[in-house]
């Protein structure tokens, strides 16, 4: 799912954050952009990459939510590195379920759980960092770099607001069932091993993402904060059938409530000043295209991604045209997902988007004698 920078909508949004980015999920259109391509420390928003690598393991069947992960010395909360960091107080040798580790990261930004995930998935955090980079490159995060799995200050931890938005898009699109966990408002981790931890666990249960409590439709994703970098958030809300994704980084505010208010302002700006029209969604039947030498006479064309346009509310859809382009007949065999044409969207006659059309159904090729009969049929009757 690409962000269409060539069809950006004028923003008119102001913020004291160093960087801000807002996009429409369905169309991929950029709505607001402030220093969106400047590399900055992502702080705990980097944990979204850690979760994405883990989600990919779960989706592929290599891990299950009830599998147990073993905590190493590196993730032991008693290490000095975790004294001022967010955590759920894991100790060396402890077992934690994959689901609890995920909720610990999402709700409480647990760095100790992040390291446990990294070591369990890749064998060591250093190897996991390589896996993070491979995953990031595979979805188009080519500028991002990583020095750890937790987002703790490290000179190699650098991401742009645009790439954080692309990452959020993939988490929502590729892992819809797991994404629901980002809307969790409260998580109480009860498997603590010391009295101090029990007190910590009793007082640290609410999600740092305060947008979940203040904006209807908000369902993710992750906050971050460092003294030097300020506050940051990757946020998303779905109101009606429309989803927006916003990113703020380098925000100088009092607390997470102030950060949530700034994200709410960003998202509401998008909803109040822009509109999105979705023409086709994945799986929709767009057109039937004739097939040559096929066991079926037609193939159904669909799309893998949404076909949508975002405009300012002052613009009219009358200037938008959506065309299906293809050559016919298409020769069999045809595989499901094979490109068989494209959707072209124009605005005032200028092309603004091209989206591949793909085959929704398989069409096998008829055998040799069948092709002879087909040729004779064409010569005699024209079909």
């Amino acid at each position: 799912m690409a962000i269409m920078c060539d069809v950006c909508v004028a923003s008119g949004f102001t913020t004291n954050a160093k960087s801000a980015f807002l996009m429409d999920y369905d169309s991929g259109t950029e709505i607001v952009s402030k220093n969106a391509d400047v590399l900055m420390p992502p702080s705990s928003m980097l944990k979204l990459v850690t979760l994405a690598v883990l989600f990919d393991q779960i989706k592929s069947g290599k891990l299950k939510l009830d599998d147990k992960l073993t905590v190493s010395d590196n993730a032991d909360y008693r290490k000095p590195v975790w004294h001022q960091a967010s955590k759920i107080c894991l100790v060396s040798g402890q077992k934690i379920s994959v689901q609890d580790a995920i909720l610990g990261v999402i709700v409480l930004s647990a760095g100790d759980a992040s390291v446990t995930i990294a070591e369990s998935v890749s064998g060591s955090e250093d190897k996991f960092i390589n896996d993070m980079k491979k995953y990031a490159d595979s979805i188009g995060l080519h500028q991002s770099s990583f020095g750890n799995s937790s987002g703790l200050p490290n000179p190699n931890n650098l991401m742009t607001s645009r790439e954080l938005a692309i990452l959020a898009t993939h988490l929502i699109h590729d892992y819809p069932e797991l994404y629901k966990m980002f809307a969790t408002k409260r998580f109480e981790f009860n498997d603590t091993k010391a009295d101090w931890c029990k007190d910590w666990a009793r007082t640290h249960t609410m999600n740092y993402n305060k947008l979940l409590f203040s904006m209807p439709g908000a369902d993710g994703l992750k906050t971050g904060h460092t003294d030097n970098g300020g506050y940051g958030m990757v946020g998303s809300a779905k109101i009606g059938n429309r989803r927006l994704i916003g990113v703020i980084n380098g925000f100088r505010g009092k607390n997470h409530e102030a950060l949530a208010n700034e994200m709410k302002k960003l998202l509401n700006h998008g909803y109040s000043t822009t509109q999105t029209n979705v023409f086709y969604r994945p799986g929709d039947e767009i057109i039937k295209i004739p097939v040559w030498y096929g066991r079926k006479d037609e193939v159904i064309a669909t799309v893998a991604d949404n076909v949508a346009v975002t405009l300012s509310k002052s613009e009219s859809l009358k200037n938008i045209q959506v065309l299906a382009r293809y050559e016919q007949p298409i020769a069999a065999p045809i595989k499901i997902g094979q490109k068989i044409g494209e959707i072209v969207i124009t605005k005032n006659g200028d092309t603004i988007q091209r989206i591949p059309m793909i085959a929704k159904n398989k069409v096998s090729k008829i055998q040799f004698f069948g092709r002879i009969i087909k040729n004779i049929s064409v010569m005699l009757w024209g079909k």
Side-chain angles (χ1 to χ4, degrees):
M1 301 182 72
I3 295 177
M4 307 300 297
C5 299
D6 55 337
V7 288
C8 301
V9 179
S11 72
F13 178 80
T14 59
T15 177
N16 71 14
K18 290 182 179 179
S19 178
F21 187 77
L22 179 67
M23 62 169 285
D24 184 275
Y25 172 78
D26 284 320
S27 69
T29 299
E30 172 186 309
I31 301 171
V32 172
S33 179
K34 177 184 178 181
N35 297 325
D37 297 305
V38 176
L39 286 166
M40 296 175 60
S43 58
S44 285
M45 293 182 289
L46 177 142
K47 291 185 176 81
L48 292 175
V49 187
T50 298
L51 290 172
V53 176
L54 176 61
F55 286 2
D56 208 48
Q57 294 279 307
I58 296 170
K59 185 176 180 179
S60 67
K62 295 177 182 177
L63 281 173
K64 297 187 290 293
L65 289 175
D66 57 358
D67 283 347
K68 298 292 185 179
L69 310 179
T70 302
V71 180
S72 75
D73 291 339
N74 296 321
D76 194 307
Y77 86 95
R78 293 167 293 193
K79 286 193 68 173
V81 68
W82 303 119
H83 286 178
Q84 301 301 317
S86 299
K87 52 191 170 285
I88 52 175
C89 291
L90 300 176
V91 297
S92 179
Q94 184 176 357
K95 302 282 188 181
I96 181 173
S97 70
V98 171
Q99 179 164 311
D100 281 352
I102 292 171
L103 290 173
V105 172
I106 289 174
V107 179
L108 303 176
S109 198
D112 48 359
S114 296
V115 172
T116 299
I117 289 168
E119 293 181 333
S120 299
V121 168
S122 303
S124 71
E125 190 170 18
D126 286 341
K127 291 180 179 177
F128 188 78
I129 291 167
N130 290 331
D131 290 337
M132 292 170 73
K133 183 60 179 172
K134 289 177 183 176
Y135 183 93
D137 284 336
S138 74
I139 63 170
L141 313 189
H142 302 307
Q143 286 188 266
S144 297
S145 63
F146 315 107
N148 55 43
S149 61
S150 63
L152 285 175
N154 184 296
N156 291 321
N157 285 343
L158 294 169
M159 299 184 75
T160 70
S161 290
R162 187 186 304 276
E163 292 198 348
L164 281 164
I166 294 171
L167 173 61
T169 300
H170 279 272
L171 286 167
I172 296 165
H173 181 268
D174 295 353
Y175 315 104
E177 292 305 313
L178 294 168
Y179 175 73
K180 294 176 183 177
M181 299 174 76
F182 282 100
T184 305
K185 294 180 178 179
R186 183 175 183 272
F187 172 63
E188 187 171 353
F189 184 65
N190 295 314
D191 192 16
T192 51
K193 304 298 182 183
D195 289 340
W196 183 89
C197 284
K198 291 175 183 176
D199 290 337
W200 173 274
R202 278 195 293 267
T203 57
H204 291 74
T205 61
M206 306 305 290
N207 199 317
Y208 287 114
N209 181 1
K210 304 308 178 186
L211 188 72
L212 299 175
F213 303 89
S214 64
M215 182 173 184
D219 58 6
L221 294 161
K222 187 77 186 69
T223 66
H225 174 255
T226 61
D227 290 338
N228 292 331
Y231 286 92
M233 179 191 286
V234 183
S236 185
K238 187 174 183 181
I239 297 178
N241 290 321
R242 189 182 182 199
R243 177 181 293 281
L244 297 180
I245 295 172
V247 181
I248 289 173
N249 202 2
F251 175 69
R252 295 295 177 180
K254 291 182 179 180
N255 48 36
H256 282 90
E257 283 78 10
L259 173 65
N261 288 335
E262 194 73 2
M263 178 59 72
K264 184 177 180 180
K265 186 173 76 170
L266 176 64
L267 292 168
N268 280 335
H269 173 81
Y271 282 116
S272 64
T273 62
T274 64
Q275 57 182 320
T276 292
N277 193 82
V278 180
F279 300 100
Y280 300 109
R281 295 187 183 276
D284 285 352
E285 181 178 316
I286 298 172
I287 196 168
K288 293 179 179 179
I289 304 174
V291 174
W292 182 245
Y293 289 146
R295 292 186 177 276
K296 296 179 181 178
D297 293 332
E298 298 172 320
V299 61
I300 299 171
T302 187
V303 285
D305 291 320
N306 291 324
V307 178
V309 169
T310 298
L311 303 170
S312 67
K313 287 201 171 177
S314 62
E315 293 181 281
S316 171
L317 281 171
K318 290 190 298 183
N319 300 322
I320 301 295
Q321 279 193 319
V322 182
L323 306 172
R325 290 183 178 170
Y326 55 91
E327 293 183 3
Q328 66 174 22
I330 301 173
I334 301 170
K335 298 178 181 178
I336 294 175
Q338 177 180 326
K339 183 180 177 181
I340 54 176
E342 65 178 1
I343 298 291
V344 179
I345 303 178
T346 63
K347 180 180 177 181
N348 295 319
D350 296 324
T351 299
I352 59 173
Q353 287 193 50
R354 293 179 182 272
I355 302 99
M357 279 198 308
I358 61 173
K360 186 175 182 179
N361 59 299
K362 174 183 175 182
V363 180
S364 301
K365 190 173 184 178
I366 57 177
Q367 298 301 316
F368 175 74
F369 289 109
R371 295 199 295 274
I372 292 176
I373 294 171
K374 181 70 173 177
N375 290 337
I376 294 171
S377 174
V378 169
M379 288 187 290
L380 293 178
W381 300 288
K383 62 179 180 178

